[in-house]
Amino acid sequence: MAVDNLVEVTKLRKEFGGLVATDDVDFVIPRGSIVALIGPNGAGKTTFFNQLTGVYSPTSGSILFDGTEVVHLPPHAITALGVGRTFQNIRLFAQMSAVENVLVGMHCRLQGGIIGSILRTRKVKREEEEARDRARELLTYSGLPRRHDDRAGNLPYGDQRRLEVARALATEPKLLLLDEPTAGMNPQETAEFTAFVRRVRDDKGLTVLLIEHDMKVVMGVSERITVLEYGAKIAEGSPSEIQSDERVIEAYLGRGAAA
């Protein structure tokens, strides 16, 4: 039986002058899976994310998302197709409330036009009311039931990470990209967030791709792992296969982590 791939990347290459950031990478993400992208700092992981989301245009190669070629599409068009993401460095609107941040994510799905918004029609008011209710539901689902009206910049670090996920979920994604989601978290926050990622996938039928340096998280939540080094793919497989891959141990994991 053929695997149903949500994402199919072929020979993806990105050059910055003489630097090759992604080196003819082939990569697939099976629909409904949790996949991890790992590798040393500077391996090209975030550059890969930025090409998937339209922030960077590849030098060459193809990216098929749910059957649609997305190379050279702008970020908002890729978001509308169903790609949501968080960032390595948290990018919330710090002076806005948690609810308002989630509403920003929801904007691409709202139907009210410019004229309706100016005239404040009944339809627009109803849609805005429903959007706020939905934003509060997403915040509660993401573990922030009492933080709806708190300013984003005042939230603890772990809660800011959860708010970023809630905002990404507000775009109604098919694919959720998480860029180092547990960075800076303590062990308890990390364990809770890992369980949350698995629950999001199961509850909402999403596909998840994450960049993560915490190998306990990677091995615990991922069903498939791809390893990059200097922009090139050096290994791919299940967590057990990656742990025992000599090239990955040498390039990234080290003997202690592999053990």
Side-chain angles (χ1 to χ4, degrees):
M1 183 176 172
V3 176
D4 181 14
N5 294 320
L6 180 64
V7 177
E8 296 183 359
V9 174
T10 306
K11 298 295 181 187
L12 192 68
R13 187 176 186 85
K14 180 61 181 176
E15 299 174 2
F16 295 99
L19 173 67
V20 179
T22 49
D23 189 359
D24 295 342
V25 174
D26 292 330
F27 185 84
V28 299
I29 306 175
R31 194 182 301 271
S33 63
I34 300 178
V35 176
L37 188 63
I38 68 171
N41 288 329
K45 303 181 298 295
T46 297
T47 299
F48 185 85
F49 261 36
N50 285 337
Q51 290 173 93
L52 286 181
T53 56
V55 177
Y56 295 155
S57 288
T59 303
S60 60
S62 170
I63 303 171
L64 285 179
F65 175 73
D66 207 15
T68 298
E69 177 61 69
V70 299
V71 166
H72 304 312
L73 287 183
H76 71 270
I78 295 176
T79 298
L81 287 172
V83 179
R85 75 172 291 182
T86 66
F87 295 88
Q88 183 177 347
N89 299 313
I90 293 173
R91 295 186 186 178
L92 296 170
F93 298 98
Q95 302 305 315
M96 293 166 60
S97 71
V99 163
E100 289 167 340
N101 270 271
V102 176
L103 287 170
V104 169
M106 210 174 288
H107 178 74
C108 67
R109 302 298 175 197
L110 300 180
Q111 301 298 316
I114 295 174
I115 301 300
S117 298
I118 293 173
L119 297 178
R120 304 297 299 155
T121 63
R122 185 179 304 173
K123 180 182 177 182
V124 165
K125 288 179 180 177
R126 184 171 63 250
E127 184 181 49
E128 288 178 355
E129 216 170 281
E130 290 171 352
R132 282 191 171 272
D133 289 343
R134 174 67 177 145
R136 294 188 182 99
E137 288 173 8
L138 283 171
L139 287 168
T140 299
Y141 177 81
S142 301
L144 302 171
R146 292 175 295 278
R147 299 288 197 175
H148 298 179
D149 299 316
D150 291 8
R151 280 201 317 179
N154 292 341
L155 295 176
Y157 184 84
D159 286 350
Q160 289 190 27
R161 285 287 182 193
R162 288 177 177 272
L163 176 53
E164 269 212 318
V165 174
R167 184 176 63 184
L169 291 176
T171 68
E172 299 179 14
K174 300 173 186 175
L175 174 66
L176 179 62
L177 305 178
L178 304 175
D179 195 346
E180 297 193 33
T182 67
M185 290 187 181
N186 63 41
Q188 181 179 344
E189 288 173 328
T190 296
E192 290 173 352
F193 193 89
T194 302
F196 172 59
V197 170
R198 193 179 291 110
R199 181 163 61 91
V200 166
R201 189 278 301 271
D202 294 342
D203 288 351
K204 299 187 177 298
L206 299 182
T207 304
V208 179
L209 174 63
L210 70 150
I211 294 172
E212 185 54 70
H213 283 293
D214 187 327
M215 285 302 103
K216 189 174 181 182
V217 173
V218 170
M219 299 302 171
V221 76
S222 307
E223 295 153 355
R224 177 190 179 100
I225 301 170
T226 297
V227 188
L228 297 182
E229 183 187 25
Y230 299 116
K233 185 172 75 174
I234 63 169
E236 192 168 59
S238 67
S240 60
E241 290 170 334
I242 294 301
Q243 279 180 301
S244 59
D245 189 296
E246 286 295 325
R247 191 170 176 187
V248 178
I249 293 169
E250 184 70 27
Y252 183 53
L253 293 181
R255 299 286 168 186

